[in-house]
Amino acid sequence: MNGLPTERRTFVKGVGSSMLGSLLPATVVDAAESDTVTILGDFEGSLDNWRTNGGNTLKQQSSDEWNRPVTNGEGVLKVHASGDPYPMVYNRKRVRAADLIETPYLLADVTVGQFENDSTDLAFNFRYHRLPGEDANHGSNSTSGKGGSGGGNNGGVGASGSSNGGSANDKPGQSQSPLVAASETMVVPQYVKTTLTWDLSDLAKMKRDESDRIDLAWHAAGEEPKTGPSGRGPGAPLNGSVYLDNIRLVDSITELSERAMARKLTRLKAKHGTLEYRNERSDVESLTERGRFVFNDGTEVGVEFSAETVNKWHYSIGEETYRLGGGWE
């Protein structure tokens, strides 16, 4: 325990510099390495059973064409929207085979390419459906707490996802699967590469059992769609491409939290400029530290670190709190 305050200070500075990983305490680095990883899409030569709707097109693209979006292996999934205001992709086959109880943390690397309106940021969110059943409708319109409920639009979601905007079910006539939860909205500027995250562990285990499909949908930030991602509905049309890679489920909350913190800081720095960390109070006895990120334009964001034990940590940036360490699993 005596070495924890020094490690904590190193960790705080590391996060403030967006150097996650290289400056993390050893206990956090170890916890970030997932023991179990389920790949939902690495796009090495195929689409990996991902589908779309609304006249959008999918293409497995190699790093030879553009290597920036590639984060794992040699391929990515290119999703091109041609007028759809609310594009989406979904996967049923791999999600049905996955264990969302053992690996409840969802991550997807995304790179936003150029869109017709080059000032438009994109708002992303995940959506989770489970197989129809006696208890499938319990909480079917709910949103998860830690995963976030902000921006989840449950209206008109249906089960759309086929290329012609019809049913997303892989077999005609199959019952539609109820929407169980939607993640928080994650805003990504154009030309930015980041990782989208969702903590599904907040959902009851019975809701993570009998999983049917996971969607990823996006729309222009600030243009909340009036309907779900069911094809070419009303709204501001999008014309441009999004690139996805290394979509996976993992068993480490630390891996998810690291990526979520990095995404938040990337957006803050894009908006407010460079930052420095200013420590305000450290308490060795209570294992806490408080400080501020001070940005180039004068914006200040409060940060706080606290440790329940040597391997169960909380880290807050503004109003968002992240869990780190191996003690949560």
Side-chain angles (χ1 to χ4, degrees):
M1 296 285 278
N2 292 335
L4 188 57
T6 301
E7 285 191 336
R8 181 174 68 248
R9 179 64 54 79
T10 303
F11 173 66
V12 170
K13 288 183 177 179
V15 172
S17 304
S18 283
M19 297 176 65
L20 294 171
S22 61
L23 296 182
L24 291 176
T27 48
V28 171
V29 172
D30 291 342
E33 298 178 0
S34 297
D35 293 324
T36 304
V37 179
T38 300
I39 298 297
L40 299 181
D42 58 11
F43 311 110
E44 298 298 301
S46 75
L47 301 180
D48 291 340
N49 304 113
W50 286 87
R51 301 187 179 195
T52 188
N53 70 347
N56 306 305
T57 59
L58 301 182
K59 176 185 177 183
Q60 186 277 335
Q61 181 171 295
S62 72
S63 58
D64 293 337
E65 296 182 64
W66 190 29
N67 63 7
R68 185 170 182 266
V70 178
T71 60
N72 183 52
E74 301 293 332
V76 296
L77 178 65
K78 178 182 179 180
V79 187
H80 185 77
S82 300
D84 187 353
Y86 203 175
M88 67 166 286
V89 293
Y90 73 96
N91 197 308
R92 168 169 279 113
K93 185 174 182 179
R94 294 201 175 200
V95 171
R96 284 184 173 182
D99 185 343
L100 272 66
I101 295 176
E102 183 178 0
T103 53
Y105 309 114
L106 175 62
L107 301 94
D109 298 337
V110 61
T111 302
V112 178
Q114 183 175 7
F115 278 72
E116 191 173 75
N117 183 347
D118 59 9
S119 64
T120 300
D121 295 342
L122 296 186
F124 291 83
N125 77 318
F126 291 110
R127 304 158 71 84
Y128 168 65
H129 303 252
R130 66 182 304 234
L131 291 170
E134 292 182 2
D135 56 359
N137 290 321
H138 291 181
S140 62
N141 290 322
S142 68
T143 52
S144 72
K146 293 192 290 292
S149 59
N153 179 4
N154 294 341
V157 349
S160 301
S162 65
S163 60
N164 62 3
S167 172
N169 298 312
D170 293 334
K171 295 180 180 179
Q174 189 176 17
S175 299
Q176 294 185 353
S177 54
L179 174 66
V180 175
S183 75
E184 66 177 355
T185 296
M186 296 162 277
V187 176
V188 183
Q190 285 187 55
Y191 314 111
V192 167
K193 176 180 178 179
T194 189
T195 301
L196 306 175
T197 59
W198 190 14
D199 179 0
L200 282 156
S201 69
D202 196 36
L203 291 177
K205 288 184 178 181
M206 62 170 285
K207 292 183 180 179
R208 285 181 275 146
D209 195 19
E210 301 295 332
S211 56
D212 182 50
R213 83 172 198 264
I214 288 174
D215 312 333
L216 175 62
W218 55 96
H219 58 83
E223 298 283 345
E224 188 67 27
K226 296 180 180 179
T227 64
S230 55
R232 291 176 183 263
L238 291 177
N239 293 281
S241 298
V242 165
Y243 300 82
L244 301 170
D245 196 13
N246 200 19
I247 306 175
R248 69 267 192 204
L249 292 161
V250 303
D251 63 356
S252 168
I253 183 61
T254 301
E255 181 176 351
L256 178 138
S257 294
E258 284 183 17
R259 300 287 185 153
M261 286 189 291
R263 184 183 67 249
K264 182 176 180 68
L265 284 173
T266 295
R267 188 172 180 220
L268 286 171
K269 291 196 294 183
K271 186 176 182 180
H272 303 295
T274 57
L275 65 84
E276 65 173 295
Y277 171 69
R278 296 180 185 175
N279 177 42
E280 295 180 335
R281 183 178 68 85
S282 296
D283 189 328
V284 175
E285 295 299 322
S286 63
L287 301 175
T288 61
E289 179 169 311
R290 292 180 181 176
R292 291 173 294 155
F293 289 145
V294 181
F295 293 84
N296 189 54
D297 68 353
T299 299
E300 298 185 3
V301 177
V303 295
E304 182 173 357
F305 177 95
S306 62
E308 293 186 22
T309 66
V310 292
N311 62 354
K312 291 180 72 173
W313 300 0
H314 297 276
Y315 193 94
S316 298
I317 303 176
E319 296 181 353
E320 297 186 48
T321 300
Y322 307 88
R323 295 180 296 159
L324 303 112
W328 301 104
E329 280 74 35

